[in-house]
Amino acid sequence: MSRTLRLTTLATLALATTAAAAHAETIRGVLRYTDADGSAKPIRNAKVEVWRLRPGAVFWSNDLTTATDGNGGLDAPIGFVGVGTKTALRVFATNDAAQVMTQDLLVPFYREPGRPGTEIQRTTATAGDFLDFTFTFPDAWANNHFNIADAIKWARDYAQGRRDPRETDLINRVDVHFNSLNTYYDPILHAVRLDPTFAMDDFTVVHEYTHYLEESIGSFYGIASIHDGCAATTAGVDVRGPGLAWMEGFASYLPQAVQRATGALVGTPVTGSIPAGTLENPACPPTNLPPKSLERPVAGALFDLLDDPNEPFDQLAKRDVEIFQIFDRELDLGWTNPTFDQFGAAWIARGLDAPQFLQSIGANGIFLAGPAPTEFVAYDHAPAANVAVYRSSDARWYVLGGELAPFPWGGVANDIPVPADYDGDGLTDLAIRRTADATWWVKNSANGTIRTFTQGIATDRPLVADYDGDGEDDFALFRANGQLTVFGDTALEQRTFYSFAIPGGIPAVGDFIGDSKPDLAIYEPSTGAFWITSLFGTGGWSFPTVGRAFADDVPVVGDYTLGGKQELAVYEPSTGNFRVLPFIGGTVTATWWGVTGERPVPADYDGDGDTDMATWNPSNGWWYIRTNTGGLRSQQWGTAGDVAVPAP
């Protein structure tokens, strides 16, 4: 064969292949099943076999295996084999997360669209036909199988998206033996076993699947038991303990986490997992066992780290990523069951919100074993402000739920606590301004190192804020003559601003004008007016009156209205009123929230982004907080001589 002839032959074959590909039919449609709530749900990412019976043939042949997409859709081309070809589908309860076996049989379940009525079959009329198999399975037989696969798919995708990035072990597909015997995880066959009672309850399905996750990427030692969240027995023997409590408690927590993240799970009246309402109140009948040895309190404590901060001083929420990563990494211990003590130790070792964590789990009666991990180098990561005091007598910071490490140089009278984020890591650093020698002392949250330096003079007033918008709070001092010096992060960033010397003037800084730039406000108690000017913007001075010229008024600027800027505000100790000016030129509103002797401590205590009115009684340490959503809270924290230092 000549080279020219060979090239011609290859070109002809290429053209023939192209022509054959053009003569293709397309399998289309959307496949759904009926969920427990009556809604039609897509059969997502499911295995589908395309079977065809050619004209004159006796037997059907499996000509294509494909899969639905995330919406249950099919759009698969298949080669044309002749007019009159019949086509049918087999839709499997199989996806990348689960393979559900036919009830009481060890063969993968599938169902043909159209069943239990007449099977849908399409006959080819011409090349290029679009064969539509859209169908919603209506019967319990099909729905039970498809629902199990779908619930596990949601849980597997949730887990895959929250893994510790250092982990490389795989979450493989699990077999589900759908049987009429019992519901449990089988660690011998590494399979989930479910009976029809729970097939449509997604929370039970995910509960049992969680045991598979515990075995495959965490740590698991199967303990067969009859349990209800408080009691657990095997052959009449009490088998409760920290290992079983974690094994089952985490499995009751995870379905709630998946539901919070996806909104996809549907429950039924009969459930094999602890419902959210019970997790909000997880107490068990009196027993001689500690709560961390009981499934329900363990699940409730984990749930409190996930749900909205709607309980007194439980401000941790949406921490499911951290929970799952600890489960995935630190609790991957081998052939055993972890305990809540090990989970708590890992949480603290990661530097995660230790004070509020200990407070939250303590509300569920859970206290970690061993010496109390009471000392930390910073406030926590939670968006809500911590209830905290500084005690100059021993130089310690006491944060509700834990105790921050003391400054090593000891306390000195008249030290001014100035906690702020000086290193830009998102955590509030411990810091003081020492009036005796005009020095700053700062303990960096990133590594616990201490830096100290001298700035200004002893009578300067610290006025810390993020003046340059770089995410780090800047050291700044205000002098009685009206001079504001901002030192910035380096000497090159030092700026000095000059204002009026107002007798008795009290300075504050914030975005009061609404131009996203810091403004200086000086409150004049003798007139009740604020003197305001923009530090980096344009415009002259304005003099809005907010107070009523009471000598003991205290400026308490903050974002009380979620307006995205600070409002001018004054607290009147003589009346207990917070007086807030929503905007310059607006009308002052007065809200009572204080009694004689209390000091104002406004901050964002519920983490919603606005400032809540609050007072603290220095004589007995009681805090009284009124959130802008109407919540009222009280808490004893601190003793006489302390200084209240709420901060996130």
Side-chain angles (χ1 to χ4, degrees):
M1 179 183 295
S2 68
R3 177 171 297 179
T4 301
L5 178 58
R6 180 176 178 82
L7 289 173
T8 301
T9 302
L10 289 174
T12 302
L13 288 173
L15 289 172
T17 302
T18 302
H23 290 79
E25 304 162 71
T26 302
I27 308 300
R28 282 188 173 176
V30 178
L31 300 169
R32 303 181 180 93
Y33 72 97
T34 305
D35 209 340
D37 59 0
S39 63
K41 296 293 180 63
I43 302 175
R44 304 177 303 129
N45 308 111
K47 174 184 173 182
V48 176
E49 292 180 351
V50 180
W51 288 73
R52 294 196 295 189
L53 180 66
R54 290 164 172 76
V58 177
F59 300 105
W60 290 73
S61 61
N62 177 11
D63 288 357
L64 176 68
T65 298
T66 183
T68 60
D69 61 21
N71 296 311
L74 279 174
D75 191 2
I78 188 170
F80 174 70
V81 295
V83 174
T85 299
K86 292 183 179 181
T87 303
L89 304 184
R90 290 180 178 178
V91 184
F92 287 76
T94 298
N95 52 42
D96 60 343
Q99 177 174 254
V100 183
M101 302 301 179
T102 303
Q103 182 177 335
D104 297 322
L105 297 173
L106 292 180
V107 294
F109 175 85
Y110 68 85
R111 199 69 182 277
E112 299 89 350
R115 300 296 190 192
T118 302
E119 178 184 0
I120 296 175
Q121 296 181 0
R122 303 301 184 197
T123 301
T124 302
T126 63
D129 275 357
F130 292 93
L131 308 180
D132 193 294
F133 288 87
T134 296
F135 186 71
T136 300
F137 291 92
D139 61 308
W141 180 253
N143 294 332
N144 283 348
H145 294 82
F146 289 131
N147 185 71
I148 293 170
D150 191 61
I152 292 177
K153 170 72 174 167
W154 282 113
R156 193 257 189 190
D157 290 349
Y158 170 92
Q160 195 65 42
R162 287 159 178 78
R163 299 205 61 189
D164 189 291
R166 296 167 290 181
E167 292 296 303
T168 58
D169 44 346
L170 300 177
I171 303 177
N172 296 312
R173 187 172 66 189
V174 66
D175 283 344
V176 179
H177 297 173
F178 190 30
N179 60 79
S180 301
L181 299 176
N182 209 335
T183 293
Y184 61 99
Y185 177 70
D186 186 336
I188 298 175
L189 296 179
H190 312 291
V192 173
R193 293 184 179 270
L194 292 168
D195 73 45
T197 304
F198 301 113
M200 299 304 293
D201 182 73
D202 296 342
F203 293 89
T204 300
V205 174
V206 174
H207 180 111
E208 298 304 334
Y209 176 69
T210 301
H211 293 319
Y212 168 74
L213 293 177
E214 289 174 335
E215 183 184 50
S216 59
I217 64 172
S219 184
F220 181 79
Y221 177 79
I223 301 175
S225 67
I226 298 173
H227 56 97
D228 62 5
C230 293
T233 60
T234 299
V237 177
D238 190 339
V239 293
R240 292 176 296 179
L244 178 65
W246 176 267
M247 181 187 91
E248 295 294 350
F250 184 75
S252 282
Y253 152 80
L254 194 67
Q256 302 299 333
V258 174
Q259 173 64 3
R260 290 281 176 135
T262 67
L265 304 189
V266 176
T268 62
V270 180
T271 182
S273 190
I274 302 175
T278 303
L279 294 182
E280 288 285 9
N281 298 283
C284 286
T287 175
N288 59 351
L289 292 173
K292 60 188 174 184
S293 292
L294 305 174
E295 171 189 351
R296 190 184 290 178
V298 166
L302 293 173
F303 188 68
D304 272 345
L305 304 177
L306 168 73
D307 66 353
D308 299 326
N310 54 6
E311 297 167 323
F313 299 99
D314 168 21
Q315 300 306 319
L316 295 182
K318 301 178 182 178
R319 309 311 293 270
D320 60 319
V321 172
E322 292 92 333
I323 293 172
F324 197 88
Q325 288 189 354
I326 291 173
F327 156 77
D328 187 22
R329 186 163 183 83
E330 285 91 337
L331 300 190
D332 189 358
L333 305 173
W335 200 49
T336 185
N337 283 327
T339 67
F340 199 97
D341 280 331
Q342 292 168 316
F343 169 76
W347 181 284
I348 291 172
R350 285 189 173 217
L352 299 172
D353 310 314
Q356 291 200 18
F357 171 76
L358 294 173
Q359 171 190 311
S360 178
I361 67 173
N364 290 278
I366 294 180
F367 303 94
L368 302 183
T374 56
E375 293 195 350
F376 315 104
V377 298
Y379 288 75
D380 60 34
H381 292 83
N386 294 102
V387 170
V389 295
Y390 173 67
R391 189 165 300 162
S392 62
S393 61
D394 61 6
R396 287 185 180 270
W397 301 66
Y398 295 88
V399 178
L400 186 62
E403 173 188 324
L404 300 179
F407 286 118
W409 57 86
V412 175
N414 299 319
D415 284 350
I416 301 173
V418 282
D421 182 11
Y422 295 99
D423 53 13
D425 65 351
L427 282 172
T428 300
D429 306 306
L430 311 183
I432 61 167
R433 168 73 177 178
R434 179 156 293 166
T435 59
D437 56 7
T439 56
W440 299 85
W441 295 78
V442 181
K443 194 165 192 175
N444 294 322
S445 56
N447 52 24
T449 59
I450 296 170
R451 50 179 168 154
T452 182
F453 48 90
T454 302
Q455 284 178 341
I457 60 178
T459 56
D460 288 343
R461 182 192 296 261
L463 196 60
V464 174
D466 182 7
Y467 288 90
D468 52 14
D470 64 353
E472 296 183 9
D473 288 315
D474 302 306
F475 301 99
L477 295 169
F478 182 81
R479 193 161 292 177
N481 64 1
Q483 174 182 307
L484 172 65
T485 302
V486 179
F487 296 93
D489 305 316
T490 67
L492 296 177
E493 295 182 16
Q494 178 171 319
R495 304 176 180 87
T496 301
F497 304 91
Y498 298 94
S499 61
F500 298 103
I502 301 173
I506 305 173
V509 66
D511 178 18
F512 307 115
I513 298 174
D515 60 358
S516 300
K517 297 177 181 178
D519 308 311
L520 175 64
I522 305 174
Y523 182 65
E524 186 176 23
S526 62
T527 65
F530 281 92
W531 298 53
I532 305 171
T533 187
S534 178
L535 295 176
F536 297 99
T538 58
W541 289 84
S542 58
F543 311 95
T545 298
V546 180
R548 295 188 291 181
F550 296 159
D552 56 355
D553 284 354
V554 181
V556 285
V557 301
D559 185 3
Y560 292 90
T561 64
L562 267 180
K565 65 180 184 65
Q566 275 67 49
E567 284 91 43
L568 300 170
V570 171
Y571 176 71
E572 294 178 341
S574 58
T575 67
N577 284 331
F578 281 80
R579 297 176 57 83
V580 179
L581 182 67
F583 57 90
I584 296 176
T587 301
V588 174
T589 61
T591 303
W592 175 85
W593 192 247
V595 298
T596 301
E598 293 177 355
R599 297 175 183 175
V601 284
D604 180 12
Y605 291 97
D606 56 5
D608 65 355
D610 66 353
T611 304
D612 302 309
M613 298 178 186
T615 61
W616 179 68
N617 191 323
S619 65
N620 57 24
W622 276 95
W623 297 67
Y624 302 95
I625 299 170
R626 175 178 180 157
T627 67
N628 287 315
T629 57
L632 306 178
R633 294 156 47 187
S634 60
Q635 172 72 42
Q636 198 286 325
W637 194 254
T639 62
D642 291 347
V643 178
V645 284

